[in-house]
Amino acid sequence: MPYINDDFISYKRGRINEQWLTDIFLPIFSNFLNYALPFDPKIFVDRTGLTPGVLFRDELFINLLYSKCIVSIWSPPYFRKSEWCVKEFLTMKHRQEVFQLSPLTMPKTLIWSVLYRDVEPIPEFADGITYLDYTDYNLVGDAFFKTEKYLSFQTKIEADIRTIAEIINNVPPLPASWETEEGRKQIVGELNEYFLKNDLGNDQIQNPISW
């Protein structure tokens, strides 16, 4: 089965977070990503991409598993209060380890992290993962569109977008075994072990349960 999404947006839901994602980030991000790729990118956002009547967990997992990369939007609740966000992040981190990606490979990573609000401390499992700092642009409301910061925000995304385009254009093919039921069961087992391996031992951060 080929990839079905070019990127998977991972974020902690909440009124202000969703307003920023919908009104500020996604329109500019998707516009410049469309310019940077030779095809129309398919972006998965869990609030719009799920089919009525299908188990949320199952469809979310399939869309994540068959996405080329993850756009991980960091905020304190992302790591502290959301089992799903931690699980999404670790699932893609596990895959890039399977693919043996490094600063010397192309792509270097499958995780395109955006720092939306300062996270202190960054969890150990995410320590060392580079991120793009968008904390200067985490405002919402019509007034933001009339500020110099909004122009700067557009310029920054336009400059940063090439790095996720490189990921999408160079992502390794998925293992052929994932096309079988047995192969999918195997990767689920590996992921659940990976979640246990990354047990945070910190009641301030939500540990992921099994898929």
Side-chain angles (χ1 to χ4, degrees):
M1 182 174 178
Y3 290 104
I4 59 177
N5 301 307
D6 293 297
D7 56 66
F8 180 104
I9 306 292
S10 175
Y11 70 105
K12 177 65 176 76
R13 297 187 69 171
R15 186 174 65 84
I16 299 300
N17 291 0
E18 292 178 58
Q19 186 178 356
W20 184 82
L21 180 72
T22 301
D23 297 344
I24 307 296
F25 180 79
L26 270 179
I28 304 302
F29 171 82
S30 58
N31 182 65
F32 283 120
L33 186 60
N34 194 40
Y35 290 159
L37 294 171
F39 52 85
D40 292 337
K42 185 173 181 185
I43 300 171
F44 179 84
V45 184
D46 67 11
R47 60 179 170 76
T48 60
L50 299 179
T51 304
V54 178
L55 287 175
F56 175 80
R57 185 183 73 172
D58 293 346
E59 190 169 1
L60 183 73
F61 176 68
I62 291 298
N63 274 283
L64 177 60
L65 194 66
Y66 293 103
S67 290
K68 295 179 180 178
C69 63
I70 190 172
V71 176
S72 178
I73 300 179
W74 292 7
S75 64
Y78 182 91
F79 293 115
R80 190 179 67 241
K81 295 184 178 180
S82 176
E83 170 205 334
W84 294 106
C85 292
V86 173
K87 193 184 301 186
E88 291 158 7
F89 181 90
L90 287 176
T91 294
M92 197 61 72
K93 187 169 185 279
H94 172 266
R95 187 196 302 175
Q96 73 177 27
E97 291 176 9
V98 169
F99 286 163
Q100 298 182 322
L101 302 185
S102 76
L104 301 178
T105 62
M106 181 58 75
K108 300 176 176 62
T109 182
L110 302 177
I111 301 172
W112 204 73
S113 296
V114 171
L115 186 65
Y116 166 62
R117 292 198 177 273
D118 286 325
V119 176
E120 184 61 40
I122 292 176
E124 184 177 345
F125 66 80
D127 191 34
I129 300 288
T130 57
Y131 58 81
L132 302 165
D133 190 347
Y134 280 68
T135 55
D136 279 347
Y137 314 109
N138 58 19
L139 305 174
V140 296
D142 291 342
F144 180 62
F145 295 107
K146 301 174 184 178
T147 64
E148 289 293 328
K149 277 192 174 184
Y150 183 60
L151 296 177
S152 176
F153 171 72
Q154 295 178 64
T155 300
K156 180 167 176 55
I157 288 191
E158 184 177 19
D160 290 340
I161 209 74
R162 64 172 184 79
T163 56
I164 193 169
E166 286 178 352
I167 296 172
I168 292 169
N169 283 327
N170 294 284
V171 66
L174 291 170
S177 62
W178 289 14
E179 297 185 20
T180 67
E181 185 65 26
E182 182 179 348
R184 283 192 286 271
K185 287 181 180 178
Q186 179 180 346
I187 188 61
V188 167
E190 290 177 4
L191 286 170
N192 290 337
E193 290 182 7
Y194 191 72
F195 295 160
L196 291 174
K197 175 184 172 184
N198 284 275
D199 179 22
L200 306 175
N202 183 343
D203 60 9
Q204 297 300 309
I205 299 177
Q206 173 67 56
N207 285 319
I209 61 173
S210 62
W211 277 114

